Amino acid sequence: MPQLDRVIILSQIFWLFLMFLVAYISYAHFVLSNLLKTFLVRWWKLRKDITQVALKARLIKFLIDSNTQSLRKIYSTVRSILLSIIKKLSDNNLNKSKTSFQDLNSLVLKVSLETSLYSSKSVTKSGIYSYWT
């Protein structure tokens, strides 16, 4: 068989190794480098996205805390205003029926939610609604 002849087999082995070497070098240089670049770009994007998610979570927590504090301030201010109004009404009209505290709490919640969510007005420390503060 001519393909197994000892004179011809050395050249075939030479060309086999040469073609394998050329294919390996071209694969390592072009394909693997592009694959590595793709993996690096994906890694950087994931890292950036994870950082953005962490920052957004911190920002949301900060905003929730600050909104909770402002709603508590509004609630306490409105409650003090309503208590002073109730005292004035009860002093003036002793014979009229008194407002229950349950009605007072529901009224405070309604006013504070309307003030914080739907209005451009705010409640000042003196308890007067103001367009400018």
Side-chain angles (χ1 to χ4, degrees):
M1 293 178 87
Q3 57 269 44
L4 297 177
D5 190 13
R6 287 187 182 194
V7 176
I8 297 175
I9 200 157
L10 290 177
S11 66
Q12 288 177 348
I13 292 174
F14 170 75
W15 285 110
L16 173 72
F17 282 123
L18 185 67
M19 287 297 136
F20 178 75
L21 186 65
V22 168
Y24 178 75
I25 289 173
S26 64
Y27 179 76
H29 182 68
F30 295 109
V31 176
L32 289 180
S33 65
N34 288 336
L35 190 64
L36 180 65
K37 287 177 188 176
T38 303
F39 284 138
L40 285 175
V41 166
R42 285 184 180 181
W43 181 74
W44 278 108
K45 282 185 178 182
L46 283 174
R47 187 173 178 187
K48 185 177 81 170
D49 290 344
I50 289 171
T51 306
Q52 286 178 351
V53 166
L55 288 175
K56 284 180 183 178
R58 285 184 186 172
L59 180 63
I60 288 171
K61 184 176 186 264
F62 173 73
L63 289 175
I64 288 173
D65 291 342
S66 64
N67 285 338
T68 303
Q69 291 173 355
S70 64
L71 284 175
R72 284 180 184 162
K73 287 179 184 177
I74 291 171
Y75 178 78
S76 63
T77 307
V78 170
R79 186 167 186 207
S80 64
I81 292 170
L82 290 175
L83 282 174
S84 65
I85 290 172
I86 287 174
K87 284 181 183 178
K88 287 179 185 177
L89 286 176
S90 65
D91 289 341
N92 292 337
N93 302 323
L94 293 175
N95 295 332
K96 292 187 177 181
S97 63
K98 296 181 179 178
T99 307
S100 67
F101 282 106
Q102 201 169 31
D103 295 336
L104 175 65
N105 283 333
S106 66
L107 187 60
V108 166
L109 286 174
K110 286 179 186 177
V111 170
S112 63
L113 284 176
E114 287 177 7
T115 303
S116 64
L117 297 177
Y118 303 114
S119 178
S120 62
K121 300 178 186 178
S122 67
V123 179
T124 60
K125 290 182 181 177
S126 64
I128 302 170
Y129 285 108
S130 172
Y131 286 100
W132 308 106
T133 58

